[in-house]
Amino acid sequence: MFRTPAAVAGAVLVAAMVVLAVIGPPIWGEAAEHIDAGAILQGSSAAHPLGTDNLGRDLLARVLVAGRYSLLLALAAALIGATAGIVLGALPSVLPARPARLVTGAVNALVAFPGLLLAMFTAVVAGLGARGAVLGIGAAIAPGFARLTQTLAASVAGADYVSAARMLGVPRRRILARHVLPNIAEPLILHLTQALGGALLGLAGMSFLGLGVQPPSFDWGRLLFDGFGRIYVTPEVALGPALAVALAGIGFNLLGDALARGAARTSAPRTKAVAPESADPGEPEPGAVLDVRDLTVTFPGGVTPVRGVSLSAAPGEIVGLVGESGSGKSLTAAAIGGLVPYPGVVGHARLRLDGRDVAGLSRKELGTSLAMVFQDPMASLNPALKVGGQLAEVAVVHQGATRAEARARAVDRLGHVHLPEPGRQARRHPHELSGGMRQRAVIAMGLMGTPRLIIADEPTTALDVTVQRQILRLLREVTEETGSAVLFISHDIAVVGELCDRVVVMYAGRVVEELPADRLTDGAHPYTRALIASLPDMDTDRSLPLASIPGRQPAPAEVGDGCAFAPRCPLATDACAAGRPPLVEHGPAHRVACWEVTCTSTA
Amino acid sequence: MHIDGLTVRFGAFTAVDSVTLEVPPGRIVGLVGESGSGKSSLAKAVCGLVPHTGRVTGASRVQMVFQDPYASLDPRMRVGESVAEALLRMPRQARAAEVERLLGLVSLPAEAAGRYPRELSGGQRQRVAIARALGAEPDLLVADEITSALDVSVQGAVLNLVRSLRDRLGLPILFISHNLAVVRYVCDEVAVMHRGRLVEHGPTEDVVGSPGQDYTRTLLEAVPRLRR
Ligand SMILES: Nc1ncnc2c1ncn2[C@@H]1O[C@H](COP(=O)(O)OP(=O)(O)OP(=O)(O)O)[C@@H](O)[C@H]1O
Ligand code: SF4
Ligand SMILES: [Mg+2]
């Protein structure tokens, strides 16, 4: 999280402020109150680096001591604002419809109202002094919190688990307390950090306007107010408090930003390669669009979800990658596209796209030669923008098309993925489409360019077989037209078996079997066979229970030395737990990693 | 349960167009159709989650199990707490035992109650969601694509569970899926939806064996088959 200089600066500044608040008053308290009639209204000197005030008190000491009071007032104001705002923002979700609308309307009006005016108005009503200023700034902060709470609560309120609770008859107040608030706490806390910075500046402003802290108390704003009259004679007396306010404000804002960015899922820009499992890259496959050898993805703590995966795809070929969730399919795809999230580390002996090392490609070159379609269509669509506009954007940015061309192409592509009435759909927002329609829109987005490799990660999980078939046919059309290749990731072995050319089966981070798709029923690995057996088809005997694989796949950190499938494998022997079976040839275009299969066939 | 002339509109768009359908006691009725055909909208209307016209009678306590077991459990609640939300009407002391009974009903060990959803596999989460729904003592269970987010290796166990709930509890189930092979395996009857309308409805063998509509035939042909 603290990888950027801005984040480090924010953390250091905030830490310094906290230290100052703790140690300031005990150390410099006396000096700050020490009246010296002989040194009134002085400028900077060796004894008083920031000068003295009208009673001869040392201004540097006063600035250092004022830190605690300033920060405490800011904290109080931010907490008051946050509490009021969260209550206001949460009210509409518990009130009946009419009062709820009233509250929402009031919040909207307050958000539009200038914060400083709100603060001054409240402060004047509440009375001059620290209390009025704190309440004023709290009032100025509250509407922002209310709006944020409302937005966040609305998004959580749409979640399936809230629908489930509603159907169970869980009361609204309990839903709010148990489901909504805990799930929105994180962004609210981040916002509080930033609000603290704002409150600090706001309070200083109030004191500076004479509306805040009154003598003999003093905070940074008050010191600034007192020093301001002398700014043309001895500017340094105003400089101290001004600098303190600015540094603290900047610190809290930087830290808040960094925390917010850390909380949002970020992906590392480009992950560096580490030493691969086998150092021998071997001979590159001639003519392959995708050529991967010994791909490894590691996370700190020795967690290795992808372990030495080798893959290739010829022009026009659709390669299916199957395996249950957690087997490393998506990370394999992410590693190829340089999208492994921080702090993952990618290693490989070879990673070539269209005959070129991926490491040597620029972000833009990679972007045009590789298209990725993800599992969750909403991750690729901006909910605020119309579908057509988002697609057109791709053509404008990547291909330098004009707006009109881009729009026409977007509508054409939407029709291409069999979205009914593409012209009308282009004008709709993502949430107005069904899950299946959204995914088709995302696929259309991937087809706006002419990529060499299309990686489609579970693009059809939310789709029915009719659409799956159409989309696979569409992908096939594209590959035949352009000679590109497709890496099609799915946990549905039936879809992959029917629609791909070749199937690669993954289990616990490794390839366990690789074979032509039309020979999937001849799969030799016990895992492949179990997958096929547990698949209901149109001939399954309905009177018998369906087969399923007992147990579960080991998590990446649990994978030991032996065959990872051993605990669930009906054929497992002692040899299986002891050593990992290598992936070896098993007939033409067929490779298997299983001791039982390879030993029996060679014996 | 009886659905009579149910219509769901989103603005000018009609997602469900005057559907009439019956789910008899102890039967699993499958609802199939391509994406956008209105299956989920119908399900939500039956559960009272979207505004609609028409009548739903004979089911006062409908519970729904959602498609995505990763989204339907609160990530910050332990499994036991989530299931117990269905039991708020019970005295607090009785809840733990009931949670254990419900988890047992879906073949989960009692210790699962202390775990968080992220520590469970997709199939286990879906079972938790089913246990929670059963806790409300529903007279109709609506299962919307409950296995489409699951791995084939665990799908079998969830489908077996659905069938055993019907056999053991006599629970009527509206089972929504676009996977006809799955529907054929679990359902006693199949209803086919197309563009918001019900186009065919009958016993599973009949609809799958001798479909009366071209649309049903298209759906059947689209079922992926492994090439042998
Ligand atoms: N909130 C909404 N506003 C406008 N239209 C909507 C809304 N929700 C759904 N629709 C429309 O209703 C139709 C049916 O949607 P529904 O989600 O019920 O389909 P489905 O059969 O469940 O599809 P899928 O299998 O893709 O989830 C779609 O055409 C969709 O665009
Ligand atoms: S190596 Fe052993 S445990 Fe692994 S799949 Fe083969 S037989 Fe089963
Ligand atoms: Mg649906």
Side-chain angles (χ1 to χ4, degrees):
Chain A
M1 195 186 299
F2 297 108
R3 281 176 303 141
T4 63
V8 174
V12 167
L13 279 174
V14 169
M17 290 301 156
V18 171
V19 170
L20 180 65
V22 174
I23 66 167
I27 297 187
W28 296 288
E30 223 169 296
E33 299 296 343
H34 179 74
I35 296 174
D36 181 356
I40 288 170
L41 294 177
Q42 282 184 352
S44 162
S45 69
H48 307 290
L50 290 182
T52 58
D53 68 2
N54 54 358
L55 294 177
R57 292 175 294 199
D58 180 53
L59 276 173
L60 177 61
R62 286 177 77 75
V63 167
L64 293 172
V65 169
R68 178 186 284 185
Y69 195 40
S70 303
L71 289 172
L72 282 179
L73 289 181
L75 189 65
L79 285 179
I80 287 171
T83 313
I86 291 171
V87 169
L88 267 179
L91 268 181
S93 16
V94 278
L95 290 176
R98 247 162 169 283
R101 258 201 305 276
L102 216 71
V103 174
T104 311
V107 167
N108 286 342
L110 285 176
V111 169
F113 204 74
L116 192 61
L117 281 184
L118 204 60
M120 283 167 61
F121 179 75
T122 313
V124 168
V125 171
L128 285 188
R131 199 182 49 147
V134 165
L135 283 176
I137 295 299
I141 289 174
F145 261 100
R147 168 65 72 77
L148 183 67
T149 309
Q150 247 173 35
T151 317
L152 292 169
S155 77
V156 174
D160 283 350
Y161 55 83
V162 172
S163 298
R166 271 171 57 199
M167 258 190 305
L168 292 171
V170 176
R172 303 185 93 161
R173 218 161 313 149
R174 190 184 151 91
I175 291 185
L176 183 70
R178 297 302 309 275
H179 292 290
V180 178
L181 287 181
N183 281 297
I184 64 176
E186 198 173 300
L188 284 178
I189 290 170
L190 299 180
H191 192 65
L192 183 66
T193 317
Q194 286 162 324
L196 257 172
L200 206 81
L201 295 179
L203 279 168
M206 297 287 275
S207 293
F208 181 69
L209 291 172
L211 289 171
V213 173
Q214 303 297 326
S217 301
F218 58 100
D219 70 344
W220 285 332
R222 185 75 218 176
L223 293 176
L224 192 59
F225 177 72
D226 292 341
F228 202 69
R230 300 155 59 196
I231 195 151
Y232 294 111
V233 191
T234 47
E236 59 275 17
V237 297
L239 196 70
L243 202 65
V245 170
L247 284 179
I250 291 171
F252 279 108
N253 274 314
L254 287 180
L255 184 67
D257 273 349
L259 289 175
R261 224 170 293 133
R265 206 176 50 184
T266 52
S267 71
R270 272 299 264 279
T271 18
K272 271 221 183 73
V274 292
E277 209 169 69
S278 98
D280 169 29
E283 280 302 300
E285 294 218 8
V289 172
L290 174 69
D291 182 8
V292 180
R293 198 178 161 90
D294 281 334
L295 185 73
T296 308
V297 179
T298 315
F299 285 90
V303 179
T304 310
V306 177
R307 309 174 161 241
V309 166
S310 297
L311 281 175
S312 69
E317 192 181 29
I318 301 186
V319 178
L321 190 57
V322 279
E324 54 197 288
S325 58
S327 59
K329 306 182 296 291
S330 294
L331 269 179
T332 301
I336 295 170
L339 294 173
V340 171
Y342 178 82
V345 180
V346 178
H348 54 77
R350 191 162 70 226
L351 178 51
R352 292 165 73 87
L353 195 59
D354 211 16
R356 297 172 65 190
D357 272 318
V358 167
L361 296 180
S362 70
R363 193 74 254 188
K364 197 177 154 119
E365 282 173 312
L366 190 62
T368 45
S369 52
L370 177 68
M372 294 188 88
V373 180
F374 295 104
Q375 193 163 353
D376 175 12
M378 280 316 265
S380 315
L381 293 172
N382 183 336
L385 300 177
K386 289 184 183 152
V387 172
Q390 298 190 49
L391 262 70
E393 198 63 38
V394 178
V396 171
V397 173
H398 279 294
Q399 289 132 17
T402 66
R403 284 268 149 209
E405 279 167 16
R407 264 208 77 77
R409 188 167 167 80
V411 173
D412 172 67
R413 292 285 108 174
L414 287 172
H416 227 82
V417 295
H418 309 285
L419 212 59
E421 303 179 73
R424 193 167 73 91
Q425 308 296 355
R427 288 191 300 275
R428 297 174 92 181
H429 283 94
H431 73 267
E432 295 177 272
L433 308 184
S434 78
M437 295 158 107
R438 268 180 225 154
Q439 191 57 288
R440 279 184 269 182
V442 174
I443 293 173
M445 196 189 280
L447 296 177
M448 287 297 287
T450 45
R452 297 298 300 142
L453 176 70
I454 302 171
I455 298 182
D457 188 354
E458 303 258 12
T460 57
T461 302
L463 309 187
D464 58 77
V465 275
T466 333
V467 186
Q468 277 177 358
R469 192 176 291 260
Q470 288 164 355
I471 285 169
L472 265 292
R473 195 179 299 145
L474 171 68
L475 288 176
R476 192 168 285 287
E477 269 167 42
V478 175
T479 55
E480 273 162 14
E481 266 168 38
T482 63
S484 57
V486 175
L487 183 63
F488 184 83
I489 300 175
S490 174
H491 66 254
D492 192 336
I493 198 166
V495 171
V496 165
E498 180 177 304
L499 301 163
C500 298
D501 299 311
R502 199 151 50 82
V503 177
V504 176
V505 184
M506 272 183 88
Y507 189 78
R510 291 191 188 277
V511 175
V512 295
E513 184 156 15
E514 193 182 326
L515 75 174
D518 54 4
R519 288 185 22 226
L520 202 50
T521 45
D522 304 330
H525 196 281
Y527 176 62
T528 315
R529 302 183 69 87
L531 276 183
I532 291 171
S534 53
L535 194 70
D537 64 19
M538 297 312 278
D539 310 311
T540 307
D541 187 342
R542 296 175 61 208
S543 62
L544 299 175
L546 211 52
S548 66
I549 309 178
R552 62 176 183 88
Q553 174 180 253
E558 299 164 359
V559 176
D561 295 331
C563 172
F565 190 56
R568 305 169 80 183
C569 180
L571 304 180
T573 63
D574 290 347
C576 302
R580 180 172 57 83
L583 188 66
V584 295
E585 299 287 334
H586 182 71
H590 191 170
R591 293 198 286 171
V592 184
C594 170
W595 292 125
E596 286 301 304
V597 172
T598 43
C599 289
T600 352
S601 66
T602 50
Chain B
M1 196 255 335
H2 200 83
I3 299 172
D4 201 10
L6 188 89
T7 299
V8 178
R9 286 202 182 86
F10 296 106
F13 177 77
T14 307
V16 178
D17 193 356
S18 126
V19 166
T20 298
L21 178 69
E22 191 171 345
V23 185
R27 306 267 289 174
I28 305 181
V29 175
L31 190 60
V32 299
E34 62 194 30
S35 68
S37 61
K39 306 181 297 289
S40 294
S41 302
L42 175 68
K44 287 194 186 127
V46 168
C47 298
L49 292 175
V50 293
H52 58 271
T53 57
R55 296 197 325 147
V56 180
T57 48
S60 50
R61 297 185 310 274
V62 186
Q63 285 301 316
M64 180 158 160
V65 180
F66 295 83
Q67 174 169 0
D68 184 357
Y70 294 85
S72 65
L73 297 175
D74 189 330
R76 292 179 200 253
M77 268 195 187
R78 288 177 202 275
V79 162
E81 294 173 89
S82 275
V83 174
E85 290 226 297
L87 308 172
L88 294 180
R89 65 197 144 73
M90 292 180 101
R92 199 171 285 274
Q93 318 83 273
R95 285 184 205 160
E98 178 65 5
V99 165
E100 193 172 318
R101 186 186 75 85
L102 290 167
L103 291 177
L105 216 50
V106 296
S107 316
L108 282 177
E111 59 90 26
R115 303 228 239 146
Y116 283 99
R118 61 170 177 275
E119 301 167 42
L120 303 179
S121 74
Q124 289 173 319
R125 288 182 208 212
Q126 202 55 292
R127 284 185 228 191
V128 172
I130 294 173
R132 177 178 60 185
L134 293 178
E137 298 183 343
D139 48 12
L140 174 73
L141 191 68
V142 176
D144 187 5
E145 302 277 9
I146 56 169
T147 61
S148 68
L150 298 184
D151 291 310
V152 179
S153 63
V154 293
Q155 167 176 282
V158 172
L159 294 181
N160 291 338
L161 171 66
V162 169
R163 286 176 18 140
S164 85
L165 289 177
R166 173 199 56 192
D167 297 341
R168 282 186 291 161
L169 309 177
L171 185 65
I173 300 171
L174 182 62
F175 188 92
I176 301 174
S177 176
H178 61 249
N179 187 334
L180 262 162
V182 166
V183 166
R184 175 188 163 277
Y185 179 73
V186 275
C187 299
D188 305 304
E189 299 171 20
V190 178
V192 183
M193 262 187 104
H194 183 43
R195 299 205 178 149
R197 292 171 182 273
L198 208 61
V199 295
E200 185 162 5
H201 178 198
T204 305
E205 296 80 33
D206 297 357
V207 175
V208 171
S210 48
Q213 294 283 328
D214 283 345
Y215 179 66
T216 313
R217 231 163 279 138
T218 325
L219 283 183
L220 283 168
E221 276 158 18
V223 175
R225 280 162 224 262
L226 293 179
R227 290 163 276 177
R228 287 171 210 263

